[in-house]
Short mmCIF file of all heavy atoms in Angstrom, two decimals:
data_model
loop_
_atom_site.label_atom_id
_atom_site.label_comp_id
_atom_site.label_asym_id
_atom_site.label_seq_id
_atom_site.Cartn_x
_atom_site.Cartn_y
_atom_site.Cartn_z
N ALA A 515 -42.55 0.97 10.07
CA ALA A 515 -41.16 0.48 10.02
C ALA A 515 -40.19 1.59 10.40
O ALA A 515 -39.22 1.37 11.13
CB ALA A 515 -40.85 -0.04 8.62
N GLN A 518 -40.35 2.33 14.11
CA GLN A 518 -39.66 1.26 14.83
C GLN A 518 -38.15 1.46 14.78
O GLN A 518 -37.47 1.38 15.80
CB GLN A 518 -40.04 -0.11 14.22
CG GLN A 518 -39.52 -1.29 14.99
CD GLN A 518 -40.03 -1.28 16.44
OE1 GLN A 518 -41.23 -1.13 16.68
NE2 GLN A 518 -39.12 -1.40 17.39
N ALA A 519 -37.65 1.79 13.58
CA ALA A 519 -36.20 2.00 13.43
C ALA A 519 -35.73 3.15 14.30
O ALA A 519 -34.72 3.06 14.99
CB ALA A 519 -35.87 2.25 11.96
N ALA A 520 -36.49 4.25 14.28
CA ALA A 520 -36.12 5.41 15.09
C ALA A 520 -36.09 5.05 16.57
O ALA A 520 -35.17 5.43 17.30
CB ALA A 520 -37.10 6.56 14.84
N ASP A 522 -35.63 2.04 17.80
CA ASP A 522 -34.49 1.16 18.03
C ASP A 522 -33.20 1.95 18.17
O ASP A 522 -32.37 1.65 19.03
CB ASP A 522 -34.35 0.16 16.86
CG ASP A 522 -35.44 -0.90 16.89
OD1 ASP A 522 -36.17 -0.95 17.90
OD2 ASP A 522 -35.55 -1.65 15.91
N ILE A 523 -33.06 2.95 17.30
CA ILE A 523 -31.83 3.76 17.36
C ILE A 523 -31.74 4.44 18.72
O ILE A 523 -30.70 4.42 19.38
CB ILE A 523 -31.80 4.78 16.21
CG1 ILE A 523 -31.63 4.06 14.88
CG2 ILE A 523 -30.67 5.77 16.42
CD1 ILE A 523 -31.90 4.92 13.66
N GLN A 526 -30.78 2.03 21.35
CA GLN A 526 -29.35 1.67 21.29
C GLN A 526 -28.48 2.77 21.88
O GLN A 526 -27.44 2.51 22.47
CB GLN A 526 -28.94 1.43 19.83
CG GLN A 526 -29.70 0.30 19.18
CD GLN A 526 -28.85 -0.97 19.10
OE1 GLN A 526 -27.79 -1.06 19.71
NE2 GLN A 526 -29.35 -1.94 18.36
N VAL A 533 -24.06 4.38 16.74
CA VAL A 533 -24.97 3.39 16.20
C VAL A 533 -24.87 3.40 14.68
O VAL A 533 -24.87 4.46 14.05
CB VAL A 533 -26.43 3.65 16.62
CG1 VAL A 533 -27.39 2.73 15.86
CG2 VAL A 533 -26.60 3.47 18.12
N LEU A 534 -24.74 2.21 14.11
CA LEU A 534 -24.74 2.09 12.66
C LEU A 534 -26.15 1.75 12.21
O LEU A 534 -26.76 0.80 12.70
CB LEU A 534 -23.78 0.96 12.23
CG LEU A 534 -23.78 0.61 10.74
CD1 LEU A 534 -23.34 1.78 9.89
CD2 LEU A 534 -22.85 -0.59 10.49
N PHE A 535 -26.65 2.57 11.30
CA PHE A 535 -28.01 2.36 10.80
C PHE A 535 -27.91 1.87 9.36
O PHE A 535 -27.58 2.62 8.45
CB PHE A 535 -28.79 3.67 10.90
CG PHE A 535 -30.18 3.58 10.31
CD1 PHE A 535 -30.91 2.41 10.38
CD2 PHE A 535 -30.74 4.70 9.71
CE1 PHE A 535 -32.19 2.34 9.84
CE2 PHE A 535 -32.01 4.64 9.17
CZ PHE A 535 -32.73 3.45 9.22
N HIS A 536 -28.19 0.59 9.19
CA HIS A 536 -28.08 -0.03 7.88
C HIS A 536 -29.48 -0.12 7.29
O HIS A 536 -30.26 -1.00 7.64
CB HIS A 536 -27.46 -1.43 8.06
CG HIS A 536 -27.34 -2.21 6.79
ND1 HIS A 536 -27.24 -3.57 6.75
CD2 HIS A 536 -27.28 -1.80 5.50
CE1 HIS A 536 -27.14 -3.98 5.50
NE2 HIS A 536 -27.17 -2.92 4.72
N GLY A 537 -29.82 0.81 6.42
CA GLY A 537 -31.15 0.82 5.80
C GLY A 537 -31.00 0.80 4.30
O GLY A 537 -30.27 1.60 3.73
N ILE A 538 -31.69 -0.12 3.64
CA ILE A 538 -31.51 -0.28 2.21
C ILE A 538 -31.89 1.00 1.45
O ILE A 538 -32.59 1.86 2.00
CB ILE A 538 -32.33 -1.46 1.66
CG1 ILE A 538 -33.82 -1.26 1.98
CG2 ILE A 538 -31.82 -2.77 2.24
CD1 ILE A 538 -34.71 -2.21 1.20
N SER A 541 -35.29 3.32 1.72
CA SER A 541 -36.04 2.93 2.90
C SER A 541 -36.54 4.14 3.69
O SER A 541 -37.20 4.00 4.70
CB SER A 541 -35.21 2.02 3.79
OG SER A 541 -34.02 2.66 4.19
N ILE A 546 -36.36 9.44 9.16
CA ILE A 546 -35.91 8.98 10.48
C ILE A 546 -34.90 9.96 11.06
O ILE A 546 -34.97 10.32 12.23
CB ILE A 546 -35.31 7.56 10.36
CG1 ILE A 546 -36.40 6.59 9.89
CG2 ILE A 546 -34.72 7.11 11.68
CD1 ILE A 546 -35.90 5.22 9.51
N SER A 670 -26.13 4.16 6.26
CA SER A 670 -25.76 3.74 4.91
C SER A 670 -26.59 2.54 4.47
O SER A 670 -27.04 1.74 5.29
CB SER A 670 -24.28 3.36 4.87
OG SER A 670 -23.95 2.85 3.59
N ALA A 671 -26.77 2.43 3.17
CA ALA A 671 -27.40 1.23 2.62
C ALA A 671 -26.33 0.16 2.39
O ALA A 671 -26.63 -1.02 2.28
CB ALA A 671 -28.10 1.56 1.31
N PRO A 673 -22.94 -0.25 4.29
CA PRO A 673 -21.95 0.23 5.26
C PRO A 673 -20.53 -0.16 4.88
O PRO A 673 -20.32 -1.18 4.21
CB PRO A 673 -22.36 -0.46 6.56
CG PRO A 673 -23.77 -0.84 6.39
CD PRO A 673 -23.95 -1.10 4.92
N TYR A 678 -19.23 -1.87 9.85
CA TYR A 678 -20.06 -3.04 10.11
C TYR A 678 -19.34 -4.00 11.04
O TYR A 678 -19.94 -4.62 11.92
CB TYR A 678 -20.42 -3.74 8.79
CG TYR A 678 -21.67 -4.58 8.89
CD1 TYR A 678 -22.93 -3.97 8.90
CD2 TYR A 678 -21.60 -5.96 8.99
CE1 TYR A 678 -24.08 -4.73 9.01
CE2 TYR A 678 -22.76 -6.73 9.10
CZ TYR A 678 -23.99 -6.11 9.10
OH TYR A 678 -25.13 -6.84 9.20
N ALA A 681 -19.70 -2.87 14.50
CA ALA A 681 -21.04 -3.19 14.99
C ALA A 681 -21.12 -4.67 15.36
O ALA A 681 -21.70 -5.03 16.39
CB ALA A 681 -22.08 -2.85 13.92
N GLN A 682 -20.50 -5.52 14.54
CA GLN A 682 -20.51 -6.95 14.84
C GLN A 682 -19.77 -7.26 16.13
O GLN A 682 -20.10 -8.18 16.85
CB GLN A 682 -19.86 -7.74 13.68
CG GLN A 682 -20.66 -7.72 12.40
CD GLN A 682 -22.06 -8.27 12.60
OE1 GLN A 682 -22.24 -9.37 13.10
NE2 GLN A 682 -23.06 -7.48 12.22
N GLY A 687 -23.65 0.19 18.13
CA GLY A 687 -24.98 -0.39 18.05
C GLY A 687 -25.31 -0.64 16.58
O GLY A 687 -24.66 -0.10 15.69
N LEU A 688 -26.31 -1.46 16.32
CA LEU A 688 -26.68 -1.73 14.93
C LEU A 688 -28.19 -1.79 14.80
O LEU A 688 -28.86 -2.48 15.56
CB LEU A 688 -26.07 -3.06 14.46
CG LEU A 688 -26.42 -3.51 13.05
CD1 LEU A 688 -25.84 -2.57 12.01
CD2 LEU A 688 -25.91 -4.93 12.79
N VAL A 689 -28.70 -1.02 13.84
CA VAL A 689 -30.13 -1.07 13.53
C VAL A 689 -30.26 -1.28 12.03
O VAL A 689 -29.60 -0.58 11.26
CB VAL A 689 -30.85 0.23 13.96
CG1 VAL A 689 -32.29 0.22 13.48
CG2 VAL A 689 -30.79 0.41 15.47
N GLU A 690 -31.07 -2.24 11.64
CA GLU A 690 -31.19 -2.51 10.20
C GLU A 690 -32.64 -2.35 9.75
O GLU A 690 -33.57 -2.66 10.49
CB GLU A 690 -30.68 -3.92 9.89
CG GLU A 690 -29.28 -4.13 10.49
CD GLU A 690 -28.47 -5.22 9.83
OE1 GLU A 690 -27.88 -4.95 8.78
OE2 GLU A 690 -28.41 -6.33 10.39
N LEU A 691 -32.78 -1.83 8.54
CA LEU A 691 -34.12 -1.64 7.97
C LEU A 691 -34.09 -2.15 6.54
O LEU A 691 -33.44 -1.59 5.67
CB LEU A 691 -34.51 -0.15 8.01
CG LEU A 691 -35.86 0.24 7.43
CD1 LEU A 691 -36.99 -0.54 8.06
CD2 LEU A 691 -36.10 1.74 7.62
N PHE A 692 -34.80 -3.25 6.31
CA PHE A 692 -34.74 -3.90 5.00
C PHE A 692 -36.01 -3.74 4.21
O PHE A 692 -36.37 -4.59 3.41
CB PHE A 692 -34.41 -5.39 5.17
CG PHE A 692 -33.05 -5.61 5.73
CD1 PHE A 692 -32.83 -6.50 6.78
CD2 PHE A 692 -31.96 -4.91 5.23
CE1 PHE A 692 -31.56 -6.69 7.29
CE2 PHE A 692 -30.68 -5.10 5.74
CZ PHE A 692 -30.48 -5.98 6.78
N GLN A 693 -36.72 -2.66 4.46
CA GLN A 693 -38.00 -2.48 3.80
C GLN A 693 -38.00 -1.11 3.15
O GLN A 693 -37.62 -0.13 3.77
CB GLN A 693 -39.10 -2.55 4.86
CG GLN A 693 -40.47 -2.79 4.30
CD GLN A 693 -41.49 -2.71 5.44
OE1 GLN A 693 -41.23 -3.04 6.58
NE2 GLN A 693 -42.66 -2.22 5.10
N TYR A 933 -25.85 -8.12 1.43
CA TYR A 933 -24.74 -7.40 2.08
C TYR A 933 -24.02 -8.31 3.06
O TYR A 933 -22.80 -8.33 3.13
CB TYR A 933 -25.25 -6.15 2.80
CG TYR A 933 -24.15 -5.43 3.52
CD1 TYR A 933 -23.30 -4.55 2.86
CD2 TYR A 933 -23.91 -5.67 4.89
CE1 TYR A 933 -22.26 -3.93 3.51
CE2 TYR A 933 -22.88 -5.04 5.54
CZ TYR A 933 -22.06 -4.17 4.86
OH TYR A 933 -21.02 -3.57 5.50
N ARG A 934 -24.82 -9.06 3.82
CA ARG A 934 -24.23 -9.95 4.83
C ARG A 934 -23.22 -10.92 4.21
O ARG A 934 -22.12 -11.12 4.72
CB ARG A 934 -25.33 -10.77 5.51
CG ARG A 934 -25.69 -10.40 6.96
CD ARG A 934 -24.55 -9.89 7.72
NE ARG A 934 -23.88 -10.93 8.48
CZ ARG A 934 -23.88 -10.99 9.79
NH1 ARG A 934 -24.53 -10.08 10.49
NH2 ARG A 934 -23.24 -11.94 10.41
#
Side-chain angles (χ1 to χ4, degrees):
Chain A
Q518 187 58 50
D522 288 350
I523 292 167
Q526 299 257 12
V533 171
L534 174 62
F535 176 34
H536 178 202
I538 58 167
S541 58
I546 297 170
S670 176
Y678 203 76
Q682 292 302 307
L688 177 66
V689 173
E690 309 202 81
L691 179 55
F692 294 133
Q693 197 185 328
Y933 177 83
R934 253 328 266 248

